[in-house]
Amino acid sequence: MDYAISDHGDAAPLAVKILVAGGFGVGKTTLVGAVSEVAPLRTEEYLTHASVGVDNLEGVGGKSTTTVALDFGRITINSELVLYLFGTPGQERFWFMWNDLVNGAMGAVVLVDTRRLDVSFASIDFFESRGIPFVIGVNCFHGVRDRTQEEIRKALDLDPQVPLVLCDARDRTAVRDVLLALIDHLMAAQSRTAPHPVA
């Protein structure tokens, strides 16, 4: 791993950009806020009558706000690694922003809700088509685990190498475990693509 050297000669931590994506109302803003060591930047606005018929509110009837640009947070994994988290907007009308947010991203967390798995298909397709490594975080709302990991993998048609982690997006430790799974996945992907020395 390469590190930047500060003016004082100390190795500065490696900064890694991570996207947090998924469908509307799956818990992306909550996840970023739960783990960020700084006050997260949020661009939430109240849902209005103007969104009726535009945003699909099925399954998220109690939701009153929505991200209109991005969420931003930071977490220090250790003295050598800092993650910068960028939460993407979930509604289809804001998907055009993903093309800008993905620039420089090393990997992603795709957050899913087992009650509405279909709203996360677009996120999975987005990262697969760009060759960006990702993990699946299954947000178990209120601790409900109504499907097995095998059922979720089959429903999402996941590659066997894609990690899937059950979590609670409100819980800092659970979210940290999802991010650590992504770091492990990124390192494994890097070792698979690294050139092998010629004997």
Side-chain angles (χ1 to χ4, degrees):
M1 232 178 249
D2 295 325
Y3 303 100
I5 304 298
S6 71
D7 293 337
H8 304 292
D10 300 325
L14 178 67
V16 176
K17 180 180 180 180
I18 300 296
L19 294 191
V20 179
F24 180 52
V26 297
K28 300 179 296 296
T29 299
T30 301
L31 183 147
V32 173
V35 78
S36 179
E37 64 198 18
V38 297
L41 169 68
R42 294 183 171 136
T43 58
E44 287 194 303
E45 295 293 340
Y46 284 101
L47 292 169
T48 66
H49 290 294
S51 70
V52 176
V54 177
D55 296 326
N56 182 3
L57 303 179
E58 185 177 347
V60 289
K63 189 169 173 61
S64 61
T65 61
T66 184
T67 298
V68 296
L70 59 90
D71 298 309
F72 173 78
R74 183 186 75 201
I75 178 172
T76 301
I77 299 297
N78 55 40
S79 62
E80 300 177 340
L81 181 62
V82 176
L83 303 184
Y84 290 96
L85 307 176
F86 290 79
T88 64
Q91 307 97 299
E92 188 172 349
R93 60 192 166 116
F94 295 127
W95 284 357
F96 69 92
M97 296 189 63
W98 292 23
N99 291 319
D100 291 327
L101 289 173
V102 77
N103 288 331
M106 295 290 293
V109 172
V110 175
L111 199 60
V112 304
D113 175 357
T114 57
R115 301 167 300 180
R116 301 178 298 122
L117 287 174
D118 59 309
V119 302
S120 293
F121 293 160
S123 300
I124 293 170
D125 291 344
F126 180 84
F127 296 116
E128 284 182 341
S129 67
R130 286 160 178 78
I132 296 174
F134 64 93
V135 300
I136 298 293
V138 181
N139 192 7
C140 301
F141 285 81
H142 307 295
V144 175
R145 299 184 177 184
D146 56 352
R147 297 194 188 193
T148 66
Q149 291 197 31
E150 292 73 20
E151 289 172 334
I152 297 169
R153 282 188 169 280
K154 184 175 180 181
L156 296 176
D157 193 25
L158 291 180
D159 185 292
Q161 293 181 335
V162 174
L164 186 147
V165 183
L166 302 178
C167 69
D168 181 338
R170 303 166 299 179
D171 183 78
R172 180 180 176 85
T173 300
V175 174
R176 183 203 61 197
D177 290 345
V178 173
L179 295 173
L180 290 174
L182 176 59
I183 295 302
D184 289 342
H185 185 51
L186 292 173
M187 293 174 67
Q190 186 177 33
S191 66
R192 286 193 299 269
T193 58
H196 297 287
V198 178

Coordinates of all heavy atoms in Angstrom, one line a residue, residues 110 121-134 136 156-159 162:
V110 N -23.8 -1.8 -1.4 CA -25.2 -1.7 -1.9 C -26.1 -2.2 -0.8 O -26.0 -3.3 -0.4 CB -25.4 -2.6 -3.1 CG1 -26.8 -2.6 -3.6 CG2 -24.5 -2.1 -4.3
F121 N -31.8 -3.5 -7.6 CA -31.3 -4.1 -8.9 C -30.4 -3.1 -9.6 O -29.4 -3.4 -10.2 CB -32.4 -4.6 -9.7 CG -33.1 -5.8 -9.2 CD1 -34.3 -6.2 -9.6 CD2 -32.5 -6.6 -8.2 CE1 -35.0 -7.3 -9.1 CE2 -33.2 -7.7 -7.7 CZ -34.4 -8.1 -8.2
A122 N -30.9 -1.8 -9.7 CA -30.2 -0.8 -10.5 C -28.9 -0.5 -9.9 O -27.9 -0.3 -10.7 CB -31.1 0.5 -10.6
S123 N -28.7 -0.5 -8.6 CA -27.4 -0.2 -8.0 C -26.5 -1.4 -8.3 O -25.3 -1.1 -8.7 CB -27.6 -0.1 -6.5 OG -28.5 0.9 -6.1
I124 N -26.9 -2.6 -8.2 CA -26.0 -3.7 -8.5 C -25.6 -3.7 -10.0 O -24.4 -3.8 -10.3 CB -26.7 -5.0 -8.2 CG1 -27.0 -5.2 -6.7 CG2 -26.0 -6.2 -8.7 CD1 -27.9 -6.3 -6.3
D125 N -26.5 -3.4 -10.9 CA -26.2 -3.3 -12.3 C -25.2 -2.2 -12.6 O -24.3 -2.3 -13.4 CB -27.4 -3.1 -13.2 CG -28.4 -4.3 -13.2 OD1 -27.9 -5.4 -12.9 OD2 -29.6 -4.1 -13.6
F126 N -25.4 -1.1 -11.9 CA -24.5 0.1 -12.1 C -23.0 -0.3 -11.8 O -22.1 0.0 -12.6 CB -24.9 1.2 -11.2 CG -24.1 2.5 -11.3 CD1 -24.4 3.4 -12.3 CD2 -23.1 2.7 -10.3 CE1 -23.6 4.6 -12.4 CE2 -22.4 3.9 -10.4 CZ -22.6 4.8 -11.4
F127 N -22.8 -0.9 -10.6 CA -21.4 -1.2 -10.2 C -20.8 -2.4 -11.0 O -19.6 -2.4 -11.4 CB -21.3 -1.5 -8.7 CG -21.7 -0.3 -7.9 CD1 -22.8 -0.2 -7.1 CD2 -20.9 0.9 -8.0 CE1 -23.1 0.9 -6.4 CE2 -21.2 2.0 -7.3 CZ -22.3 2.0 -6.5
E128 N -21.7 -3.4 -11.3 CA -21.2 -4.5 -12.2 C -20.8 -4.0 -13.5 O -19.7 -4.4 -14.1 CB -22.3 -5.6 -12.3 CG -22.5 -6.4 -11.1 CD -23.6 -7.5 -11.2 OE1 -24.4 -7.3 -12.2 OE2 -23.5 -8.4 -10.5
S129 N -21.5 -3.1 -14.1 CA -21.2 -2.6 -15.5 C -20.0 -1.8 -15.5 O -19.3 -1.7 -16.6 CB -22.4 -1.8 -16.1 OG -22.6 -0.6 -15.4
R130 N -19.6 -1.2 -14.4 CA -18.3 -0.4 -14.3 C -17.2 -1.2 -13.7 O -16.1 -0.6 -13.6 CB -18.6 0.9 -13.6 CG -19.5 1.8 -14.4 CD -20.2 2.9 -13.5 NE -20.9 3.8 -14.3 CZ -22.1 3.5 -14.9 NH1 -22.7 2.4 -14.7 NH2 -22.7 4.5 -15.6
G131 N -17.4 -2.4 -13.3 CA -16.3 -3.2 -12.8 C -15.8 -2.7 -11.4 O -14.7 -2.9 -11.0
I132 N -16.7 -2.1 -10.7 CA -16.4 -1.6 -9.3 C -16.8 -2.6 -8.3 O -18.0 -3.0 -8.2 CB -17.1 -0.2 -9.1 CG1 -16.6 0.8 -10.1 CG2 -16.9 0.2 -7.6 CD1 -17.3 2.1 -10.0
P133 N -15.8 -3.1 -7.5 CA -16.2 -4.1 -6.4 C -17.2 -3.5 -5.4 O -17.1 -2.3 -5.1 CB -14.8 -4.3 -5.7 CG -13.8 -3.8 -6.7 CD -14.4 -2.7 -7.5
F134 N -18.1 -4.4 -5.0 CA -19.1 -4.0 -4.0 C -19.4 -5.1 -3.1 O -19.2 -6.3 -3.4 CB -20.3 -3.4 -4.7 CG -21.1 -4.4 -5.5 CD1 -22.1 -5.2 -5.0 CD2 -20.7 -4.7 -6.9 CE1 -22.8 -6.1 -5.8 CE2 -21.4 -5.6 -7.6 CZ -22.4 -6.3 -7.1
I136 N -22.8 -6.4 -0.5 CA -24.2 -6.2 -0.2 C -24.4 -6.1 1.3 O -24.0 -7.0 2.1 CB -25.1 -7.4 -0.7 CG1 -25.0 -7.5 -2.2 CG2 -26.5 -7.3 -0.3 CD1 -25.6 -6.4 -3.0
L156 N -31.0 -11.7 -5.9 CA -30.3 -10.7 -6.5 C -29.3 -11.1 -7.6 O -28.7 -10.3 -8.2 CB -29.4 -10.0 -5.4 CG -30.2 -9.3 -4.3 CD1 -29.2 -8.7 -3.2 CD2 -31.1 -8.1 -4.8
D157 N -29.3 -12.5 -7.8 CA -28.4 -13.0 -8.8 C -27.0 -12.6 -8.6 O -26.3 -12.1 -9.6 CB -28.9 -12.6 -10.2 CG -28.3 -13.5 -11.3 OD1 -27.8 -14.6 -11.0 OD2 -28.2 -13.0 -12.5
L158 N -26.5 -12.8 -7.4 CA -25.1 -12.3 -7.1 C -24.1 -13.3 -7.5 O -24.2 -14.5 -7.4 CB -25.0 -12.1 -5.6 CG -25.8 -11.0 -5.0 CD1 -25.5 -10.9 -3.5 CD2 -25.4 -9.6 -5.6
D159 N -22.9 -12.7 -7.9 CA -21.7 -13.5 -8.2 C -21.3 -14.1 -6.8 O -21.4 -13.5 -5.8 CB -20.6 -12.6 -8.7 CG -19.4 -13.4 -9.1 OD1 -18.7 -13.9 -8.2 OD2 -19.1 -13.5 -10.3
V162 N -19.2 -12.0 -4.4 CA -19.7 -10.8 -3.8 C -20.1 -11.1 -2.3 O -21.0 -11.9 -2.1 CB -20.9 -10.2 -4.5 CG1 -21.4 -9.0 -3.8 CG2 -20.4 -9.8 -6.0

